[in-house]
Structure formats: structure tokens, C-alpha cells
Amino acid sequence: MKGKPATLEERAILAFAAAPFEPDEWDEALTLLGQVCGGWTAQLLMVDAKGDIRVNRVPLMPADAVQEWERRGGAIPSLNPRAPALFAPALSISCDDDVLPREEQEASPFYRELFDPFDARFLMVGTLPPTADQRSVAAVLRTRRQDHPQQADKEVMAKLLPHVQAAVKLQRRLNDRDVRLAMDSADLLGLTVFLCDRAGRVVACSAAAESLVEAGDMLCLRYACLKAALDRQDEALQGALRRATRRFDDSPVQLRGTTLALTDAAGRACRVDVAPVPPGAFHFFSDAACIVHVTLPRSVAEPRHLLMQAFGLSPAEAAVALDLASGMTANEIAAGRGVSTETVRAQVRAVLQKTGVSKATALATLIGRFNL
């Protein structure tokens, strides 16, 4: 193709090859798929084993139309006549006439109230091979003027569908890698982090988060969904999850983060930050729609141990440093510990050298920064 202008079909193939690495290319690839197959755009739809929508991407389609389609149960075969295409044989291609007689299409509420007003009167669907937990289709949208797909359109769709399949498969692998990397990083930092999908289900969590839900006194899992352990606090948590995801149970709202406090039955509190996963490839296919970070109150370590860790002091030197910072003299410290004054003075010199200060007053200021 070097030196020659690429055809729409060639451009579509290149766009699907780039899409797993360049998030914006997904919209370009789907738009080109729609155009090269005789329509004006294309849809990529993925649903899980329960029928819940995981991905619904339709470039050029108004957001309110996509939201209304989801609210009306667009992925439910008993509601949307086109939805049975999700269960068609892998790499098969179907059209409206394959699922519903034309007179029933004209009478269907979905056709009259959703498809016609948004120039999606006719559809050509390619079913992608299912995975253990997901079914997917790529669908070309056509206006009334563009009419029903022709045999030539189906042949082009059949040719491009394996490229769509390859892009989806690679994208899932890359996002699985990113999720593992994110959780491994959280584990190294000791963070309590959950990744949740649009329905509040936990799709990944750090080791600390797993321990937290196993304890069950602050947060717990019910049917894989993140819940507050105390029922009276769960409404606030679910509201935060809704605001950070693309759920449309309520009126559409702009995605935003929320910070709230949860307590256990004993009154101990923790801070919970819920925020949308930034848009992009990670958001598109990982199922992760929001991140939940829990900050638990930390018990203050024994002061002597903090100084030992911070400055490399021995246990005896750390004890002397605390006494010195409290205003005690070397003689007083020696008397209190039953050692010689010379031993204490040697320890004081070691403390000053290791902490990088020259006077007891400066040592007191330094230790004060630890709130000890």
C-alpha cells in the first residue's frame, strides 16, 4: 500500500490493527467499518454471561441515543429484535430480515422509537466468537435511504470481521496486563484498591482490599458487588459508584468522584475515595469503570521503632534520643537506665551523628516532626 492512496477497506484494516494501541483509533475503525459496508457508522457491543453490557461503542451516534438504547434493554433478546444476533454462530452475518419480518419491523417500538429517529433503520451484524464470560457483535448501521444490506456488503463485512476479532482479542490481553500491573503496584505500595465495573461488581482488587472484604466489617461483597458492611451506609456508597460509572439507573450525570466515610459496628472509620477510571483503552475493554481506594486508620508504630527505621539507630540509641528530646540530661538518662554517664554520652554522640544534627534542641525539633 506504500505510495498508493489506501482504500476505505485498507484504511479500516489498518485502523483495527492500531486500535489496541491507540484508543482513538477504535472510533475511526468502527466508522470506517460502517462506511465500507454501505452504512454510516458501526457499533461494537459486548455483554457478559448475565446479559449486562460491558462495552457499547457507537461513534457518531449521539450519547443520549446510546443511553436510551441501554435503558430500554437493547441487549435483551426478548426486548430488542436484533439482540439475538449475540447468540448467532461465530463469524456469521445477519440482517434485520433474518430476525424479524418486515411488517413486524415497522410495528416494533424499538424500530419506531429508537432506530428510525437516529438513522439506524437497517442493520448488518457480524457475530464475534464468544469467550467464557462474554459475547460480542460488530454491527453496521444504515439509514432508510441506504436501505437493506446487499450481498456485496455482506462479503466485505465477512472479510473485515476477522480483523475486528483480532483487535478485540489483543485489546483484552493488553488490558488484562494493565489491570495486573495496576494491582501489583497497589500491592507493593500496600494500598487497599478495588476496580469495579458499571454495575458495581469488583473485577480486580489488591491483596489488602481482598483482606478487607474477607474481614467484612467495613466493606463486603454480595454477588460480586461492592457493598458497605452496614446497610445504612450502603446507599451513600452505591451513589458514589453510580456517579463514577456509566450506569443510567438515574438521570444521566457527568462522571465524577466522591469521597465518603464509612464506619464499622464498633465505630472505627475509614475514608473511601471513588473515582472514574480515566477514559482510554484501559477503560474501554477492561470492564473497569471506577476505582475505589480505601484509607484505613493506621496505628502509630512505637516511637522507638520509628526512629530506628528512619535513622538506623540501635534500640538503646533510639531510647536515648527520645529521652534527650524530652529535655533529660545525660546524667538523668544514665541514672534512669542504670548505666554510666559515659555510656550515655557515647550514645548521644552516635544519635547526633546519625540524625545529622549537632545539638539536643535540634534533635528535639527533628523528633517533633514525627509527632512523637
Side-chain angles (χ1 to χ4, degrees):
M1 290 186 285
K2 186 176 180 180
K4 298 180 181 179
T7 65
L8 277 181
E9 185 177 321
E10 292 169 338
R11 287 170 56 196
I13 292 172
L14 291 174
F16 279 114
F21 307 99
E22 299 289 340
D24 291 342
E25 285 293 319
W26 275 107
D27 283 345
E28 174 72 6
L30 290 170
T31 301
L32 288 169
L33 175 65
Q35 293 173 354
V36 76
C37 291
W40 62 276
T41 190
Q43 175 187 26
L44 182 63
L45 174 67
M46 299 181 178
V47 300
D48 64 17
K50 295 181 179 179
D52 293 329
I53 297 170
R54 294 301 183 88
V55 172
N56 184 23
R57 194 146 182 165
V58 196
L60 307 182
M61 178 68 76
D64 59 343
V66 177
Q67 294 174 14
E68 182 62 18
W69 184 89
E70 292 193 11
R71 287 195 197 96
R72 296 277 294 270
I76 302 175
S78 61
L79 298 177
N80 179 3
R82 292 171 171 171
L86 286 162
F87 300 90
L91 301 180
S92 64
I93 297 173
S94 58
C95 304
D96 293 276
D97 289 351
D98 297 320
V99 297
L100 200 68
R102 295 197 181 186
E103 60 273 15
E104 293 185 31
Q105 294 174 28
E106 297 295 340
S108 167
F110 259 84
Y111 279 80
R112 288 188 288 103
E113 299 169 15
L114 288 176
F115 300 157
D116 276 342
F118 294 103
D119 287 336
R121 178 56 180 78
F122 300 111
L123 202 72
M124 180 168 60
V125 184
T127 304
L128 299 175
T131 63
D133 60 347
Q134 189 167 272
R135 291 184 175 274
S136 310
V137 296
V140 173
L141 280 60
R142 300 168 68 101
T143 66
R144 275 191 179 274
R145 185 173 182 178
Q146 290 168 329
D147 205 1
H148 290 274
Q150 303 301 308
Q151 183 59 33
D153 300 320
K154 295 179 181 180
E155 291 173 358
V156 175
M157 182 75 158
K159 185 177 180 180
L160 292 178
L161 208 53
H163 295 280
V164 182
Q165 175 193 358
V168 169
K169 187 175 182 180
L170 178 56
Q171 184 74 81
R172 286 175 62 90
R173 288 182 176 177
L174 292 176
N175 286 127
D176 287 345
R177 179 206 62 185
D178 290 345
V179 169
R180 289 195 300 271
L181 178 61
M183 293 301 99
D184 288 346
S185 299
D187 287 339
L188 289 173
L189 293 170
L191 299 178
T192 305
V193 171
F194 300 89
L195 287 177
C196 297
D197 66 12
R198 298 192 303 172
R201 288 185 296 255
V202 174
V203 297
C205 66
S206 64
E210 186 173 355
S211 297
L212 182 65
V213 295
E214 286 178 355
D217 48 7
M218 290 284 189
L219 293 167
C220 60
L221 293 181
R222 295 176 191 163
Y223 304 105
C225 292
L226 192 62
K227 303 283 186 179
L230 298 181
D231 289 341
R232 68 175 185 273
Q233 298 180 344
D234 193 53
E235 183 178 352
L237 176 61
Q238 299 310 312
L241 291 170
R242 283 194 296 271
R243 287 187 288 274
T245 62
R246 295 183 182 273
R247 290 172 65 185
F248 306 117
D249 314 26
D250 308 318
S251 58
V253 292
Q254 183 177 5
L255 299 182
R256 60 187 177 89
T258 304
T259 297
L260 62 151
L262 298 180
T263 58
D264 62 10
R268 293 174 298 177
C270 69
R271 168 176 168 164
V272 179
D273 294 289
V274 184
V277 172
F282 181 82
H283 193 182
F284 184 22
F285 279 99
S286 68
D287 295 338
C290 73
I291 186 167
V292 180
H293 176 225
V294 182
T295 305
L296 297 167
R298 293 178 178 270
S299 57
V300 177
E302 204 277 325
R304 193 161 51 95
H305 292 157
L306 283 177
L307 293 178
M308 291 166 60
Q309 293 175 2
F311 301 109
L313 303 181
S314 70
E317 291 167 351
V320 167
L322 289 170
D323 289 342
L324 195 64
S326 70
M328 295 176 65
T329 65
N331 290 334
E332 291 171 335
I333 296 172
R337 297 187 177 277
V339 297
S340 69
T341 302
E342 287 303 316
T343 297
V344 171
R345 285 175 178 166
Q347 291 170 334
V348 169
R349 287 194 294 271
V351 167
L352 296 179
Q353 180 181 11
K354 290 181 180 180
T355 56
V357 297
S358 57
K359 297 180 180 179
T361 53
L363 177 65
T365 300
L366 180 65
I367 292 177
R369 293 175 185 169
F370 285 82
N371 295 318
L372 301 180

